[in-house]
């Protein structure tokens, strides 16, 4: 990182820490990020960046034009939402909203993108336009999809889009990225097997949905073992089974509901999971005189980084922390990420920034009650965004 950039960013670090901790203390979940988006809008406006509000309810887009001539337009995206989780940290910026917590670091993502907006507003030495996209509802409601449906890229056309997420366990100062799939398609399925149920002492008098239900649970893994191509990969997990009444162990229930998640990378494998789960549910139910209702919900597509933009991101991360600190051979992970919807529309790249290990103070895994975003990386992440803009829009176009 150049000395001027580093010293510039260091002098603004205290403000970013204050913003980050303030957002952490007041977490807001899907489409209710009103206070958070007020902070974002107020800061951007104070730095002279025109804003648009209201996409996907709480979305904010700031637009900054470089002082050099150029036609290229890029979008930088941060997510703003928290999770429905009770925080168990004891520090001063611990959540004051019961049952809600910034356990994924979106408070830090918001602060880092604000840091970049502040720096670039003061140093607009680039050619083209940057849209700072602050989106709601990443965790489960697909805020990125809603912003797009409500006209994000019609109002703010972009030639490329970029995203970033912190990664606990990856040391501070390091980045990880890969071309191609980085996160999985994340889907939810529900099977309800219906029989007659009946008296537990007389199973022959009716049909028992617990038998095909048990067989179905085991059979899901034959999809992974027998149907998914051996050089591809997928995950099927059961997350919920419900049937009968705990206080009526002598009653065969009439229905069994089984719900789970499906993760995949290749579109054909995603289709395969959807088809085979239904085939198994219906055929196993039929074999026992029962019926199956089946529903497969496609939630998030996989994040797929384009080659050219991945190279730009790698170069920007290398400018930030040194080329040796940028890993480009990480395995795709099976988590879901709704930035994938933006990457379905535009070329772009999503990068992971090291949040450090457990040792440096409460930075445990994301989605756990003791997690906290590591303030040490605020400057690093801000510098990545600034360097990315100079890589993308540094030459006249
Ligand atoms: Zn998360
Ligand atoms: Zn997250």
């Amino acid at each position: 990182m150049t000395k001027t950039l580093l010293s510039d960013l260091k002098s603004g670090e205290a403000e970013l820490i204050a913003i980050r901790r303030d957002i952490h203390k007041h977490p807001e979940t899907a489409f209710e990020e009103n206070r958070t988006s007020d902070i974002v809008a107020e800061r951007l406006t104070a730095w002279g960046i025109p804003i648009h509000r209201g996409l996907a309810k709480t979305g904010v887009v700031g637009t900054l034009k470089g002082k050099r001539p150029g036609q290229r337009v890029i979008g930088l995206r941060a997510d703003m939402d928290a999770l429905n989780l009770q925080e168990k940290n004891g520090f001063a910026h611990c959540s004051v909203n019961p049952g809600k917590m910034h356990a994924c670091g979106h408070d830090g993502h918001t602060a880092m993108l604000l840091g970049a907006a502040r720096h670039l507003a003061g140093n607009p030495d680039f050619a083209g336009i940057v849209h700072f996209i602050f989106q709601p509802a990443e965790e489960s409601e697909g805020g990125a999809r809603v912003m797009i449906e409500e006209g994000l890229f019609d109002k703010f056309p972009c030639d490329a889009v970029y995203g970033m997420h912190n990664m606990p366990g990856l040391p501070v100062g390091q980045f990880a990225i890969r071309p191609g799939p980085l996160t999985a398609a994340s889907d939810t399925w529900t099977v309800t097997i219906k029989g007659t149920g009946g008296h537990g002492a007389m199973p022959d008098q009716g049909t028992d949905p617990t038998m095909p239900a048990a067989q179905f649970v085991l059979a899901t893994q034959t999809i992974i073992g027998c149907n998914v191509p051996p050089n591809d990969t997928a995950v099927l997990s059961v997350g919920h089974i419900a049937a009968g009444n705990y206080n009526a162990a002598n009653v065969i229930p009439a229905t069994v509901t089984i719900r789970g998640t499906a993760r995949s990378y290749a579109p054909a494998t995603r289709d395969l999971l959807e088809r085979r789960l239904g085939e198994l549910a219906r055929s196993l139910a039929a074999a026992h005189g029962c019926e199956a209702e089946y529903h497969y919900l496609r939630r998030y597509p996989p994040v797929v980084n384009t080659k050219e933009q991945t190279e730009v991101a790698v170069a920007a991360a290398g400018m930030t922390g040194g080329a040796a600190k940028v890993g480009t051979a990480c395995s795709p992970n099976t988590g879901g990420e709704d930035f994938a919807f933006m990457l379905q529309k535009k070329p772009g790249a999503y990068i992971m920034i090291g949040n450090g290990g457990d040792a440096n103070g409460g930075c445990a895994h994301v989605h756990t009650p003791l997690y906290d975003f590591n303030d040490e990386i605020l400057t690093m992440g801000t510098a990545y965004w600034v360097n990315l803009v100079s890589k993308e829009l540094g030459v006249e176009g």
Side-chain angles (χ1 to χ4, degrees), residues 189 237-241 258-261:
W189 50 266
S237 295
V238 173
H240 174 83
I241 301 178
I258 305 159
R259 304 192 72 218
T261 191

Side-chain angles (χ1 to χ4, degrees), residues 125-297:
D125 188 25
F126 57 88
I129 292 172
V130 180
H131 295 306
F132 303 96
I133 302 167
F134 294 86
Q135 79 148 76
E138 188 285 322
E139 287 293 356
S140 56
E141 306 295 327
R145 176 179 47 74
V146 179
M147 282 188 94
I148 293 166
E149 285 168 0
E150 294 184 6
L152 174 66
F153 293 131
D154 306 318
K155 290 183 173 71
F156 307 100
C158 292
D159 296 309
V161 290
Y162 292 89
M164 172 160 57
H165 205 291
N166 76 95
M167 189 178 199
L170 186 68
V172 169
Q174 293 199 13
F175 291 87
I177 189 170
R178 72 192 303 277
L182 185 62
T183 68
S186 171
D187 301 331
T188 300
W189 50 266
T190 305
V191 168
T192 303
I193 300 179
K194 296 183 174 178
T196 61
H199 197 306
M202 292 165 261
D204 58 302
Q205 303 294 307
T207 53
D208 179 353
T210 69
M211 295 298 146
Q215 290 172 1
F216 170 79
V217 169
L218 294 174
T220 57
Q221 297 310 315
T222 67
I223 301 174
I224 307 298
C226 307
N227 303 136
V228 172
N231 57 353
D232 193 8
T233 187
V235 180
L236 289 170
S237 295
V238 173
H240 174 83
I241 301 178
N245 183 329
Y246 183 85
N247 297 312
N250 60 351
V251 176
I252 297 169
T255 63
V256 182
T257 301
I258 305 159
R259 304 192 72 218
T261 191
R263 307 291 164 113
S264 58
Y265 300 101
T269 300
R270 194 183 199 187
D271 293 344
L272 174 85
L273 298 181
E274 178 171 5
R275 178 172 59 80
R276 285 295 292 149
L277 282 167
E279 286 172 356
L280 287 173
R282 290 189 192 99
S283 60
L284 289 168
H288 293 270
C290 299
E291 283 181 0
E293 262 176 26
Y294 172 58
H295 183 65
Y296 188 98
L297 177 66

Side-chain angles (χ1 to χ4, degrees), residues 25-48:
K25 194 169 181 172
H26 303 93
E28 296 170 306
T29 47
F31 302 119
E32 294 173 355
E33 304 88 343
N34 296 307
R35 185 183 184 278
T36 310
S37 64
D38 281 349
I39 293 170
V40 168
E42 188 269 319
R43 288 289 86 206
L44 292 175
T45 306
W47 298 324

Side-chain angles (χ1 to χ4, degrees), residues 166-172 174 353-358 360 363-366 371:
N166 76 95
M167 189 178 199
L170 186 68
V172 169
Q174 293 199 13
I353 180 172
N355 197 49
D358 292 356
N360 58 10
C363 297
H365 294 297
V366 288
Y371 170 85

Side-chain angles (χ1 to χ4, degrees), residues 79 104 106 109 138-139 165 337 367:
D79 38 19
C104 205
H106 300 184
H109 302 167
E138 188 285 322
E139 287 293 356
H165 205 291
E337 161 61 58
H367 293 210

